[in-house]
Amino acid sequence: MNTAPATYPIGTPGTPWSEEERAEWLSRQTRHRSYESEVLSAIGRLSPRFDVQEYGRLEYGSDVYPLMAIRSREWQEDLPVVLVTGGVHGYETSGVHGALQFIDQHGADYAGRVNVLVAPCVSPWGYERIHRWNANAIDPNRSFHDDSPAEEAAALMRLVAPLRDRVLLHIDLHETTDTDETEFRPALAARDGKPFEPGGIPDGFYLVDDSENPQPEFQQALIEAVEPVTHIAPADDKGELFGSPMVARGVIQYPLQKLGLCAGMTDARYRTTTEVYPDSPRATPEQCNTAQAVAVCAAIDYALAHRQ
């Protein structure tokens, strides 16, 4: 695995970025792939079988991105809601395509049992630039709170607000990549004027449970379902994954709402964040996408079986 640079190329160590440094950072970002051809086209192909809606629109300079959601066509007001989100960090590819694979291959399986709502690419600007942040150098996944500074998060919260009390399950699909260590965490430290502290990247799939509302049996059901598809990350020599204690096999915990994380945006009983490791020589892109889809199915199955 590559190592992080000794100093980040933008800004002065120890000094938070001003607008000048943010502008310099933005000027270095380039488009690497197409949201329209890779994501919107896939959503369009689903429209004969599911309801598709635009729930917001991002405008960054001349770039305009419709924010799209996919709903069960047989929506019933008396059924619980399952919320599936992907691409909150645009660079985490299998979050986007795993969400699309789930709804394409398995979404109809739950008709009449739950209402499924999928927002497969929450951060399309970041998707195109393979970046964690939005164009304002803001992490959408720390922005799910009142007066959010990230329109990506604010738009999704507006979409979900009328359903918030009916969400039984929210599964947010993510990846942990080698570039977390080589680019994104160094950039975060530079942006905030803090020292960068090197860490390690877990080799395999893991989950983030809610420390304020832990559901250990639910999390383990997902781990067991995903393991035939891709390997589960072992703890490091400190008993940790990505700097957090491993509380069970393949599981760590964060206070989801306190941190403004996407998975904490509702009061759903069952909440989790998946973390796929696409840089492993033991995992292909297809395995990563399938692992995400399998995790969603396992999560819905468990939530329905243990619904109170």
Side-chain angles (χ1 to χ4, degrees), residues 228-276:
V229 180
T230 191
H231 58 291
I232 306 305
D236 62 19
D237 55 8
K238 297 179 181 179
E240 297 179 342
L241 292 172
F242 211 47
S244 295
M246 191 169 76
V247 298
R249 183 167 177 261
V251 181
I252 61 174
Q253 295 179 347
Y254 289 164
L256 300 180
Q257 291 185 341
K258 181 179 179 180
L259 294 177
L261 300 180
C262 182
M265 66 180 293
T266 75
D267 292 324
R269 179 181 180 189
Y270 298 109
R271 295 181 276 192
T272 195
T273 301
T274 66
E275 295 286 355
V276 168

Side-chain angles (χ1 to χ4, degrees), residues 27 82 95 207 211 240:
S27 72
V82 165
L207 297 169
S211 61
E240 297 179 342

Side-chain angles (χ1 to χ4, degrees), residues 111-159:
R113 301 167 64 197
V114 294
N115 298 316
V116 177
L117 175 62
V118 180
C121 190
V122 175
S123 298
W125 184 93
Y127 177 85
E128 291 198 329
R129 287 152 185 84
I130 314 182
H131 210 286
R132 185 179 181 89
W133 294 341
N134 67 16
N136 297 318
I138 293 172
D139 185 344
N141 203 37
R142 296 298 186 274
S143 303
F144 284 86
H145 52 73
D146 293 341
D147 301 319
S148 175
E151 179 57 23
E152 295 85 352
L156 185 60
M157 288 189 289
R158 289 194 296 270
L159 171 69

Side-chain angles (χ1 to χ4, degrees), residues 16 57 59 70 82 104 107 120 129 169 212 216 226 253 267 275:
R57 186 164 284 250
E59 297 185 7
I70 307 156
V82 165
D104 180 30
R129 287 152 185 84
L169 160 69
E212 303 301 316
V226 169
Q253 295 179 347
D267 292 324
E275 295 286 355

